Amino acid sequence: ADMAAKAVAWYGKYLKLGGANNADIAFAIALSQEGAPLKAKQRYEENIKKFPTDYRNYLHLSILLSKNKATLQRSAALLKKASALAGTPAASLEIARIYGRMGRTEEELKAYQTCLRRDTFNIEARARIGTILLKKGETAEALSLLEETHVKFPDSVGPMAALAAAYLKTGKAKEAIDLLVKTKAVKPKDAAVRRLLFEAYDATGQDQLALEEIKAALDLKRDNESLLMYGKLLVKMGKPDEAANVMEDIRATAPDNIEALMTLATIYRGQKKLNEAIELYKEINSIDGKYAPALYERAEVYLAQNKIKWAEQFYKRTLEAYPKMGLAELGLAKVALAYKN
C-alpha cells in the first residue's frame, strides 16, 4: 500500500512537470491504486471516459466489480466491452484468463479462439482450447488440435500435458505415459503433471509407480482430490488401514465429501465392520437424502446382516431415487427369495 501511494505521487509529479497524460500513464495510476479499491474504481471510471477505446480499464474495473454480487451484472457488461475492444492476441489472452478464473468456460473458449485467429501458433491458446473441447466431449477436435500443436512444438510443456490428458480420456494410457514422463523431466515440481502420471500408471496397472507419483503430488500440493486418489489406490493395493486413515484426513477438513465417505464405508464393509458402514451411509444420506449409491449399499449391508425388512425398504428407496438402478431390482429379487416368494 505504501509503495502504491508512492507510485501515485510520482505519477502526479510527472504529470505536473508536463508529462504526457496518455492512456498508459492513466491506466498505470489506476492499477497502482488497487490496494484501495474505491479509489481504483474511481480512476478506472475516469479513464473509461477519457480513453474509451482502452480495453484495460474496462477489464480491471470488471474484476473489481465482480467481487460484489450487487455489481456482477455491470461487471459482466464491462468484461464484454473489454472483449470487443481487445485488438491484440495479448489482450485476448488476458481476457481469456480472467474468464477462466471466473469459471465462465464458454466465454473463456471464445476469447482463446479470438486469440488463435490473431496468432495461429499461440501455444497457450491452443493448449487451453484443446483442454476445454475435451471437457465438452468434442474429443476428435480436441485431439486433432493438440496433436498438431505437439508436432509444431514438441518440447512445449503446456500442449504436451494437455495432449496427455486427452490420451488418458480416450483410453490411450501408454501414449499418455510417454508424454508425461517427458513433461515431468521439464517440470518435476508440477503437481498436476504428477497427478496425470498417477492416473496413467493406475490405468495401466502399474500400482507401485502410481503410488510414487501420487505421493510426489501430495508433497507438492496436499489437497483432498489427490488424497482421494491416494486412498483409493491404497484400497486397490490391499492396504485398507492406511486407506482408512487417508479418508479420515479428508473427512476432518471436508466432512461432506461423499466420495471419501463412500470409500471409507467400502473399507469398513471389507473389514466386516458392518455397523460402522451403516453409520457412514446414514451420514451420507443426511448430506444427500437421495444419493442412490449409499441407499443401495446400505440395503446390501442389511441383507448381509439378514435384516430382510430393512434391506427391502432401502432397495425400494434406492429405486425411488434412481428408478433405472438394475442392481436394486436384483436386490428386491434376493429379498423375495429370502421370503420364499
Side-chain angles (χ1 to χ4, degrees):
D2 184 52
M3 294 300 289
K6 286 179 181 178
V8 172
W10 279 106
Y11 281 129
K13 288 179 182 179
Y14 169 79
L15 293 172
K16 282 179 182 178
L17 290 170
N21 187 8
N22 63 27
D24 291 336
I25 293 295
F27 171 69
I29 291 172
L31 187 64
S32 68
Q33 290 194 320
E34 286 202 349
L38 289 176
K39 288 183 180 178
K41 286 174 191 174
Q42 186 179 346
R43 287 280 188 178
Y44 286 130
E45 295 281 13
E46 291 170 2
N47 289 350
I48 285 170
K49 290 175 184 175
K50 288 180 185 176
F51 308 102
T53 60
D54 188 341
Y55 82 93
R56 295 173 297 182
N57 296 298
Y58 296 92
L59 177 62
H60 285 264
L61 181 56
S62 169
I63 295 166
L64 289 175
L65 294 180
S66 70
K67 295 172 185 176
N68 185 337
K69 285 185 179 179
T71 53
L72 275 176
Q73 193 171 350
R74 179 144 193 262
S75 169
L78 287 164
L79 193 49
K80 192 174 181 180
K81 180 68 175 177
S83 299
L85 290 170
T88 65
S92 297
L93 276 181
E94 190 177 3
I95 289 165
R97 291 172 193 145
I98 297 300
Y99 276 130
R101 287 204 290 273
M102 294 170 76
R104 294 169 60 178
T105 310
E106 283 302 320
E107 289 95 334
E108 180 192 2
L109 176 61
K110 287 175 186 175
Y112 275 121
Q113 287 171 333
T114 300
C115 172
L116 205 58
R117 283 195 293 273
R118 292 167 177 160
D119 178 6
T120 311
F121 298 110
N122 188 284
I123 296 174
E124 179 185 334
R126 282 173 164 266
R128 187 62 188 145
I129 289 169
T131 301
I132 294 171
L133 290 175
L134 192 67
K135 286 181 180 176
K136 289 179 69 178
E138 297 176 28
T139 310
E141 191 177 344
L143 272 173
S144 175
L145 178 65
L146 292 170
E147 285 176 337
E148 179 192 22
T149 306
H150 180 56
V151 169
K152 289 180 183 296
F153 309 101
D155 298 320
S156 183
V157 171
M160 206 184 295
L163 180 57
Y167 280 153
L168 267 176
K169 192 167 182 179
T170 52
K172 297 179 179 179
K174 290 181 181 178
E175 291 89 336
I177 289 170
D178 292 340
L179 285 172
L180 288 166
V181 168
K182 292 177 186 175
T183 309
K184 186 177 77 168
V186 180
K187 296 183 76 175
K189 293 187 178 180
D190 189 315
V193 170
R194 295 284 190 153
R195 278 198 301 271
L196 282 170
L197 197 46
F198 154 78
E199 288 181 44
Y201 284 136
D202 188 40
T204 52
Q206 300 180 71
D207 292 348
Q208 192 55 46
L209 288 172
L211 187 66
E212 290 170 15
E213 292 304 328
I214 199 61
K215 282 183 175 180
L218 284 165
D219 287 340
L220 292 164
K221 184 183 178 184
R222 192 174 180 83
D223 58 67
N224 285 339
E225 184 183 357
S226 297
L227 279 170
L228 193 58
M229 292 175 177
Y230 178 41
K232 285 184 174 182
L233 178 63
L234 289 171
V235 173
K236 181 183 172 187
M237 295 177 74
K239 299 179 179 182
D241 292 333
E242 289 179 49
N245 288 335
V246 172
M247 294 306 132
E248 290 290 3
D249 283 350
I250 298 172
R251 197 178 177 190
T253 58
D256 59 347
N257 189 315
I258 287 178
E259 201 171 351
L261 293 171
M262 286 292 289
T263 305
L264 186 56
T266 299
I267 293 167
Y268 283 160
R269 285 179 66 188
Q271 295 173 326
K272 306 300 180 186
K273 297 177 180 178
L274 300 185
N275 289 330
E276 288 90 336
I278 289 287
E279 290 306 312
L280 278 171
Y281 294 132
K282 287 180 183 178
E283 197 173 322
I284 292 163
N285 287 131
S286 71
I287 298 165
D288 181 353
K290 292 187 177 181
Y291 188 69
L295 293 168
Y296 168 74
E297 291 193 16
R298 187 170 171 182
E300 288 282 282
V301 173
Y302 285 136
L303 193 65
Q305 292 177 322
N306 206 33
K307 296 178 180 179
I308 307 301
K309 286 185 179 180
W310 281 100
E312 182 181 17
Q313 180 185 337
F314 276 89
Y315 284 131
K316 286 179 177 177
R317 283 182 60 181
T318 303
L319 288 167
E320 286 170 12
Y322 184 46
K324 293 182 180 180
M325 194 169 198
L327 287 172
E329 294 280 7
L330 181 61
L332 285 175
K334 292 176 187 175
V335 167
L337 189 65
Y339 284 142
K340 298 182 179 178
N341 180 354

